[in-house]
Amino acid sequence: MNFSHYTTKPVEMAVSLVNTEGIKEDSLSTVEQMTEFLDEYRDLWEGAAKPAKTSDLKAIHQLRSSLRELIGSDEEDLAAKRVNIMLAEYGATPRVSTHSGEPHLHFEPLDSSMVSWLGAVTSMGLASVIVEHGVERFGMCCSDSCRDVYIDTSRNKSRRHCSNTCSTREAVAAYRARKSEEA
Ligand SMILES: [Zn+2]
Ligand SMILES: [Zn+2]
């Protein structure tokens, strides 16, 4: 799948941000964990946003909930409405940047706080998925023991689980259930 400027790393970052909140544990519950998460995307934000502060944690949790709700949208109108609210809330503003030579568009506010940077970039990522590939690419894991989200990049949009771990576990469980019915 051919992803544009905002739909490779930013989409990956949006999905992994949502997935820090599992059923049993939250791997983004301390400032250390938040810093660790953001360090993985340092090349994206360094020079573009201020490093995260302790006081950002609550707002990042709110952003995470909004992203989960957005990915849970199963129709275009609703997804568009939700993403537009987020783009406005986090101050996404188009501007032409020449930092890498070729002029291209950026949407995160200039000199932004970590929260508005993260909000604008992840919302733009998901906005690009909606526009370029459609809302049916948004997915939530079908496993009862998992609430992870994913972007379905399969050719026939057939993905049902967040990961191979979940699809294998579910396939094994279904096989066992069939076997015990037969017995
Ligand atoms: Zn750029
Ligand atoms: Zn899963």
Side-chain angles (χ1 to χ4, degrees):
M1 191 169 283
N2 187 19
F3 284 136
S4 72
H5 193 69
Y6 274 89
T7 52
T8 311
K9 272 246 163 173
V11 173
E12 189 191 305
M13 183 168 68
V15 167
S16 52
L17 178 60
V18 173
N19 292 344
T20 56
E21 190 186 22
I23 286 181
K24 287 184 195 133
E25 61 171 340
D26 186 344
S27 62
L28 201 73
S29 54
T30 66
V31 176
E32 289 72 31
Q33 289 173 322
M34 177 174 74
T35 309
E36 208 176 296
F37 175 86
L38 290 167
D39 268 352
E40 273 188 54
Y41 301 97
R42 185 173 279 277
D43 55 329
L44 285 183
W45 61 262
E46 207 158 44
K50 299 182 180 77
K53 302 190 301 287
T54 311
S55 54
D56 290 336
L57 192 57
K58 203 178 154 202
I60 290 180
H61 283 170
Q62 269 158 9
L63 166 62
R64 185 172 66 174
S65 304
S66 304
L67 290 169
R68 176 179 290 283
E69 196 177 46
L70 173 58
I71 293 177
S73 314
D74 46 15
E75 45 147 319
E76 274 169 7
D77 290 352
L78 185 61
K81 192 176 147 200
R82 284 176 173 161
V83 80
N84 288 341
I85 291 173
M86 292 181 70
L87 289 167
E89 190 178 329
Y90 294 102
T93 312
R95 80 191 136 81
V96 175
S97 171
T98 52
H99 71 95
S100 60
E102 279 288 294
H104 59 283
L105 289 172
H106 269 259
F107 296 85
E108 62 282 4
L110 270 176
D111 195 27
S112 37
S113 70
M114 178 51 77
V115 177
S116 37
W117 179 85
L118 195 57
V121 170
T122 52
S123 310
M124 263 312 294
L126 297 185
S128 314
V129 175
I130 298 169
V131 170
E132 291 170 32
H133 307 288
V135 73
E136 64 273 21
R137 294 288 177 182
F138 287 165
M140 296 233 180
C141 189
C142 276
S143 165
D144 288 339
S145 55
C146 178
R147 64 191 305 240
D148 281 6
V149 301
Y150 58 88
I151 305 297
D152 185 356
T153 53
S154 65
R155 193 186 279 253
N156 53 359
K157 306 175 191 171
S158 58
R159 192 165 158 188
R160 296 177 63 239
H161 296 101
C162 69
S163 60
N164 284 337
T165 314
C166 276
S167 59
T168 306
R169 190 187 56 242
E170 297 291 299
V172 168
Y175 174 79
R176 285 199 181 126
R178 264 200 314 276
K179 279 278 154 197
S180 69
E181 257 170 42
E182 281 166 23

